Amino acid sequence: MPTPTWTRLSPARRERILVAAMDEFGTHGYSTGSLNVIAREAGVAKGSLFQYFSGKLDLFTYVAEQTSLRIYAHMQPWLDGYDGTIDFTTHLVNSLEAWLDYFAGQPLERGVTAATNMEMDPAVRNAIRVPVNAIYLSGLRPLLEQAVATGDLRKDADLDALLALLLVLLPHLALVPHVPGLDDPLPLTGIHAEVRRENLGRLVAPLLADYSARDRDRPTPSP
Amino acid sequence: MPTPTWTRLSPARRERILVAAMDEFGTHGYSTGSLNVIAREAGVAKGSLFQYFSGKLDLFTYVAEQTSLRIYAHMQPWLDGYDGTIDFTTHLVNSLEAWLDYFAGQPLERGVTAATNMEMDPAVRNAIRVPVNAIYLSGLRPLLEQAVATGDLRKDADLDALLALLLVLLPHLALVPHVPGLDDPLPLTGIHAEVRRENLGRLVAPLLADYSARDRDRPTPSP
DNA sequence: TGGTCATATGACCGTCCGGTCACACGGAGG
DNA sequence: CCTCCGTGTGACCGGACGGTCATATGACCA
């Protein structure tokens, strides 16, 4: 939790420090990220950082929280914008396209997402991942429930399993195009937008098809 | 690549160093893992480590490679043991149970798997993940092709998409029960064996059901 | 016995780390 | 004009790091 001093700072100074911290932690991770570098890049004395935060972990926690709030705010229209006028699989693919486009254009948020997903220290990971996961769950579950309400997903669809799979998958989808060696087999890297959209559909299809209530979502089985 | 001196060492000494390195890297990751600690725990002078490996990265690369070989050797019976006498979904759930049980009993291999999956430095990650992924792909693709050959998966099943999803999922399944805060929504932690098996089925079902060729794998759709 | 050589050792090096602290600065209130 | 206090600063601290190297050890052979 930042100190009262932090809240009295000019927005410009706060933003410079936040950006420098996102950049450093997002590039090197928590434990390897350097407060010296953050202070230098922000144009601020290192001692000042300790006037705003109680220490390295406090700063990283703040960075992770702010980042997840920004990401969530950007995705909100897709989370509560489903009304059943298009089929749910298409809506989900559209949302994932927006998800990928967002991270393609926001290297800072992408880096912090990588850092929070790759942290080894259990104490740090718990401080970061649990609230972030809660944010994602609170947005995704209503979306799936809405899909059941509109009749796009079957009433007996296993929402818990679907949610767990999506939560594992989402960070990988966000990072794969920009993090070489992470999940090279995912067919989303270095391709045109139409091919990427098609491939997103190929990844989502097996997840959703079995729970789809509308016939048009289910391909004809071979005899 | 280890030096010739390493290969001339007594197996006991090699094993002590390998175990200490697996433990340290598996607990703290590559960049935070300490050669001082490895040398101390192995009962060996730090200078000796530099007689066996050219540096920290060389040692970690060796550790990751040995670990993936051990894991692969243990899973081999499940990878080429599918002959179609049971349906493929059941075989896959059986294999995943073996996968989870293996990592439950092998904290060293589990730690190294975590370390290789959570490494931030791109150079280190590429040195480690690419060959490891290649090992997994070389074992999993023939298994899926075998399932197509026996008629358990449809001939038009999207094997590339399935493989990509499995490759993303496998490390998470291995680590979730022992790495708090990693993927808490995955329903595999702190439960009895039968419940865990049932939940594994719930996770695999949406992945495979749409591509299954046998009717018994596909639940009755609601009208 | 004396010499050679592969190996083992740990003190030591330069560097960087997170964190501290004595001090400088400047606007507000007397 | 002086004092105070919130704020900004960077030199400094103890410690840990990866890596080096002069020296010690001991097996083997002449």
Side-chain angles (χ1 to χ4, degrees):
Chain A
M1 229 176 42
T3 63
T5 304
W6 169 260
T7 67
R8 292 185 214 108
L9 250 40
S10 80
R13 189 176 172 95
R14 278 204 302 261
E15 181 71 8
R16 261 163 47 220
I17 294 173
L18 178 60
V19 165
M22 290 175 73
D23 192 10
E24 174 67 6
F25 285 135
T27 305
H28 299 103
Y30 170 71
S31 59
T32 316
S34 161
L35 295 184
N36 292 340
V37 173
I38 292 173
R40 192 205 315 138
E41 294 299 308
V44 150
K46 178 159 59 152
S48 294
L49 296 181
F50 290 86
Q51 301 226 29
Y52 310 146
F53 302 92
S54 70
K56 194 186 190 185
L57 182 55
D58 193 31
L59 172 57
F60 184 58
T61 306
Y62 177 79
V63 166
E65 186 181 279
Q66 290 301 308
T67 302
S68 69
L69 287 178
R70 291 185 183 199
I71 296 171
Y72 187 77
H74 185 268
M75 292 307 293
Q76 197 144 18
W78 275 272
L79 286 173
D80 47 46
Y82 181 63
D83 55 6
T85 54
I86 57 177
D87 72 83
F88 183 65
T89 302
T90 303
H91 177 78
L92 189 57
V93 171
N94 290 346
S95 306
L96 291 178
E97 271 195 303
W99 178 255
L100 288 173
D101 288 336
Y102 176 73
F103 282 100
Q106 305 288 346
L108 294 179
E109 280 82 349
R110 187 203 311 154
V112 174
T113 300
T116 58
N117 277 277
M118 298 189 186
E119 175 54 42
M120 280 287 291
D121 186 300
V124 179
R125 199 175 41 230
N126 268 307
I128 303 300
R129 296 287 310 263
V130 171
V132 169
N133 269 353
I135 290 180
Y136 286 155
L137 274 178
S138 73
L140 280 173
R141 179 176 287 283
L143 176 64
L144 292 184
E145 286 167 351
Q146 180 71 7
V148 172
T150 60
D152 274 75
L153 283 184
R154 287 170 26 203
K155 285 196 170 31
D156 62 343
D158 192 337
L159 296 192
D160 289 328
L162 269 180
L163 272 170
L165 289 173
L166 279 175
L167 233 69
V168 169
L169 217 48
L170 281 177
H172 286 84
L173 294 180
L175 299 177
V176 153
H178 313 93
V179 181
L182 179 60
D183 295 296
D184 295 331
L186 279 179
L188 300 172
T189 307
I191 51 180
H192 288 345
E194 306 105 33
V195 181
R196 196 190 66 176
R197 180 180 171 84
E198 186 187 326
N199 287 349
L200 272 178
R202 291 168 57 198
L203 291 172
V204 167
L207 286 181
L208 290 188
D210 192 45
Y211 294 139
S212 284
R214 305 193 180 182
D215 286 337
R216 68 170 178 276
D217 290 336
R218 179 185 298 279
T220 314
S222 58
Chain B
M1 230 174 41
T3 62
T5 305
W6 170 261
T7 67
R8 291 184 214 110
L9 250 40
S10 80
R13 189 176 173 92
R14 277 203 304 260
E15 181 71 7
R16 262 164 47 222
I17 294 173
L18 178 61
V19 165
M22 289 174 74
D23 193 9
E24 173 66 7
F25 285 134
T27 305
H28 299 104
Y30 169 71
S31 58
T32 316
S34 161
L35 295 183
N36 292 334
V37 172
I38 292 173
R40 191 204 318 139
E41 294 300 307
V44 149
K46 178 160 58 152
S48 294
L49 297 181
F50 290 85
Q51 300 225 28
Y52 310 145
F53 302 92
S54 69
K56 194 186 190 185
L57 182 55
D58 193 33
L59 172 56
F60 184 57
T61 305
Y62 177 78
V63 167
E65 185 181 279
Q66 290 301 307
T67 301
S68 69
L69 287 177
R70 289 185 183 199
I71 296 171
Y72 187 78
H74 184 269
M75 292 307 295
Q76 198 145 17
W78 275 272
L79 286 173
D80 47 46
Y82 181 62
D83 55 7
T85 55
I86 58 175
D87 71 84
F88 183 65
T89 301
T90 304
H91 176 79
L92 188 57
V93 171
N94 289 345
S95 304
L96 291 179
E97 270 193 304
W99 178 254
L100 287 172
D101 288 337
Y102 176 72
F103 282 100
Q106 304 288 347
L108 293 180
E109 280 81 349
R110 187 202 312 153
V112 174
T113 300
T116 57
N117 277 277
M118 299 189 188
E119 175 53 42
M120 280 285 293
D121 186 301
V124 179
R125 198 176 42 230
N126 267 309
I128 302 300
R129 297 287 308 266
V130 171
V132 169
N133 269 353
I135 289 179
Y136 286 156
L137 273 178
S138 74
L140 280 173
R141 179 176 287 282
L143 176 64
L144 293 185
E145 285 168 351
Q146 180 72 6
V148 172
T150 60
D152 274 73
L153 284 184
R154 290 173 21 208
K155 284 193 170 33
D156 62 343
D158 192 337
L159 296 193
D160 289 329
L162 269 179
L163 273 171
L165 288 173
L166 279 176
L167 233 69
V168 169
L169 217 48
L170 280 177
H172 285 85
L173 294 179
L175 299 177
V176 155
H178 313 93
V179 181
L182 179 61
D183 294 294
D184 294 330
L186 279 178
L188 300 172
T189 308
I191 51 181
H192 288 345
E194 306 105 33
V195 181
R196 194 189 68 175
R197 180 180 170 82
E198 185 186 327
N199 288 348
L200 272 177
R202 292 167 58 201
L203 291 172
V204 167
L207 285 182
L208 290 187
D210 192 45
Y211 294 141
S212 283
R214 303 193 181 182
D215 285 338
R216 70 170 178 277
D217 291 336
R218 181 186 296 278
T220 315
S222 60

